[in-house]
Amino acid sequence: MQISGPGQVHGPHGLQGPHSLRGKSTPPANNTSQPATIDQLDISPEAARASEASEAGQVRADRVAEIRAQIADGTYETADKLDAALDRLLDEIG
């Protein structure tokens, strides 16, 4: 579907085209001068430490399961925990 304004909605086009890119030129198919796009994944230091701890067996699976169950039940976040977190945040930011 092509929308060119509030009064110009065109019907759907077939999957095989014709499709047009208004004002844009299509690069040639055999253009080898363009560098290939490379995907990149950046892992934060915190995530790297968590992964290392998990691989080293330093994660208490029973505690993780208990907290997950509390979150699922809706009993994990209590007023006391939220107050303590807010106090720590206010202490940290001054």
Side-chain angles (χ1 to χ4, degrees):
M1 180 185 308
Q2 181 179 3
I3 302 174
S4 301
Q8 300 177 5
V9 177
H10 302 277
H13 294 276
L15 293 175
Q16 301 301 322
H19 302 288
S20 65
L21 300 173
R22 291 185 177 180
K24 297 182 181 179
S25 61
T26 305
N30 294 339
N31 188 354
T32 57
S33 65
Q34 295 287 334
T37 302
I38 298 174
D39 291 335
Q40 180 176 334
L41 173 65
D42 294 326
I43 308 272
S44 69
E46 293 82 6
R49 283 194 301 271
S51 178
E52 291 169 4
S54 177
E55 291 172 0
Q58 297 173 344
V59 175
R60 294 176 38 203
D62 58 332
R63 182 71 175 133
V64 171
E66 178 183 335
I67 291 172
R68 284 184 177 168
Q70 290 175 357
I71 291 171
D73 293 342
T75 59
Y76 181 74
E77 291 183 357
T78 63
D80 292 336
K81 287 181 184 178
L82 293 175
D83 287 341
L86 181 59
D87 289 340
R88 285 191 303 253
L89 175 65
L90 292 175
D91 288 343
E92 187 176 316
I93 62 175

